[in-house]
């Protein structure tokens, strides 16, 4: 790269002025290359960990979406060809789809909508259960708690 070439030229000027011999120059350059390789390997490992995190989070969000959909009696989107369903997250590596970040954000948005619908359904169910208990209690001439406890 241009930065590496420029750095070597600057080092050579300094080494010429100081009088560093060819063997020492070669050793220092080899050490510099090794240090750069370690830095690059560390950065690649960091980014690969980020990739793995996105893949895990996407899979987890997809599983939760599917679980909520099943609870509502909706079909499995992978069986009806829903957009993005069952997509191999690594396909974005070869330019075969949206970025993992984009997919994650879309899944989070869908998941939030599903969670809201689930929570509303739970509240509604609890309200219906309470009204049913009150109706049963009225029929039995007891409190709602007693009517529910005797069943």
């Amino acid at each position: 790269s241009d930065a590496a070439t420029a750095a070597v030229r600057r080092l050579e000027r300094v080494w010429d002025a100081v009088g560093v011999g060819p063997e020492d120059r070669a050793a220092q350059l080899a050490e510099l290359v090794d240090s750069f390789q370690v830095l690059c390997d560390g950065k690649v490992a960091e980014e690969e960990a980020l990739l793995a995190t996105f893949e895990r989070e996407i899979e987890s969000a997809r599983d939760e979406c599917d679980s909520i959909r099943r609870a509502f009696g909706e079909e499995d989107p992978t069986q009806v060809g829903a957009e993005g369903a069952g997509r191999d997250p690594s396909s974005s590596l070869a330019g075969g789809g949206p970025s993992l970040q984009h997919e994650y954000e879309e899944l989070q948005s869908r998941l939030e909508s599903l969670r809201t619908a689930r929570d509303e359904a739970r509240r509604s169910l609890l309200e219906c259960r309470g009204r049913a208990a009150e109706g049963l209690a009225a029929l039995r001439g007891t409190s709602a708690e007693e009517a529910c406890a005797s069943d």
Side-chain angles (χ1 to χ4, degrees):
S1 81
D2 293 338
T5 302
V8 168
R9 286 187 187 134
R10 290 180 16 224
L11 283 170
E12 287 176 346
R13 281 194 302 271
V14 171
W15 290 334
D16 286 343
V18 173
V20 175
E23 291 175 4
D24 288 336
R25 290 179 187 205
Q28 289 186 43
L29 284 175
E31 185 178 316
L32 186 59
V33 168
D34 288 344
S35 296
F36 181 70
Q37 185 63 52
V38 167
L39 179 66
C40 290
D41 290 346
K43 184 60 178 174
V44 168
E46 181 182 310
E47 294 302 311
E48 286 173 338
L50 177 63
L51 171 66
T53 297
F54 266 110
E55 289 173 338
R56 279 192 311 274
E57 291 294 322
I58 286 169
E59 187 63 29
S60 176
R62 189 177 292 130
D63 289 347
E64 187 177 350
C65 284
D66 291 346
S67 175
I68 294 171
R69 283 187 190 113
R70 282 190 304 274
F72 277 120
E74 294 180 11
E75 291 186 38
D76 181 352
T78 61
Q79 301 302 315
V80 294
E83 178 184 338
R87 182 177 93 47
D88 176 10
S90 65
S91 67
S92 63
L93 293 175
S99 71
L100 292 178
Q101 184 168 351
H102 178 75
E103 184 176 356
Y104 176 77
E105 289 168 358
E106 282 187 1
L107 268 170
Q108 287 301 314
S109 177
R110 278 187 261 157
L111 185 55
E112 190 57 38
S113 295
L114 286 168
R115 286 174 178 159
T116 299
R118 177 199 59 202
D119 293 345
E120 288 174 7
R122 282 182 178 163
R123 276 191 295 280
S124 178
L125 181 60
L126 289 174
E127 288 174 14
C128 289
R129 180 185 276 170
R131 286 193 302 271
E134 290 169 1
L136 182 61
L139 288 173
R140 292 186 175 169
T142 63
S143 71
E145 293 81 20
E146 290 173 331
C148 289
S150 65
D151 287 335

